Amino acid sequence: MKKNSLFLIVFIFLLQGLFGQNTLKTMVYNLLEFPSAPPANRQLILKDILTEFLPDLLMVNELESEPGADLLLNESLLSISNHYARATFAPNQSSSFQNLNQMVFFNTDKLTLIDEELFETTVRDINHYTFGSIQ
């Protein structure tokens, strides 16, 4: 009896591990003063990179503006798959680097954005995002 109970417990743990996991591809990319810095059409260069990697979560920094975020979303990500969205653009409030912002883009088939927070520091803002998984 003890042997059967032990086997059942081990089997349940193994079965749970097989179905309870999901792969999430993440990527961090420094945009280097996007979109104003050369070369032109960097959103197309990024599209080529993203086509190869297909991240579920793309975190970027040195984004200058909300139109730049829209450009990346529309021309780099949505042209690959219509299952991408972005967080709300929050302009940097810190004293230095005011035109350099962070942004996160995500695959809506795998993630949902639950919460966004902005923490001001003396150097650069910290963007905090909370995601939930789509089951």
Side-chain angles (χ1 to χ4, degrees):
M1 184 67 174
K2 287 183 181 182
K3 195 174 193 179
N4 287 342
S5 297
L6 181 61
F7 176 77
L8 182 62
I9 291 171
V10 170
F11 179 75
I12 289 171
F13 279 114
L14 289 175
L15 190 63
Q16 183 181 10
L18 290 175
F19 296 105
Q21 298 177 9
N22 195 358
T23 301
L24 190 65
K25 291 170 98 177
T26 61
M27 181 177 180
V28 178
Y29 197 85
N30 185 324
L31 297 170
L32 187 61
E33 299 176 356
F34 184 84
S36 70
N41 297 321
R42 284 194 293 153
Q43 70 276 10
L44 300 178
I45 296 168
L46 185 57
K47 177 185 172 185
D48 291 340
I49 294 167
L50 296 173
T51 299
E52 290 296 319
F53 191 73
L54 293 173
D56 297 312
L57 185 64
L58 171 63
M59 299 156 281
V60 299
N61 56 347
E62 293 203 23
L63 175 67
E64 293 178 322
S65 63
E66 187 167 16
D70 291 335
L71 186 63
L72 287 176
L73 179 63
N74 295 326
E75 293 191 26
S76 299
L77 290 163
L78 291 176
S79 62
I80 298 169
S81 167
N82 63 351
H83 300 286
Y84 282 100
R86 70 171 176 85
T88 305
F89 183 82
N92 194 343
Q93 303 299 309
S94 298
S95 58
S96 57
F97 307 114
Q98 286 199 10
N99 65 337
L100 299 178
N101 304 278
Q102 291 74 239
M103 175 57 63
V104 66
F105 302 88
F106 58 97
N107 180 343
T108 58
D109 280 344
K110 291 190 175 183
L111 296 168
T112 182
L113 183 59
I114 296 171
D115 191 32
E116 306 173 60
E117 292 181 81
L118 183 71
F119 299 103
E120 293 181 33
T121 71
T122 57
V123 179
R124 198 179 276 191
D125 292 349
I126 299 169
N127 299 72
H128 180 262
Y129 304 101
T130 304
F131 289 93
S133 64
I134 305 283
Q135 298 283 329

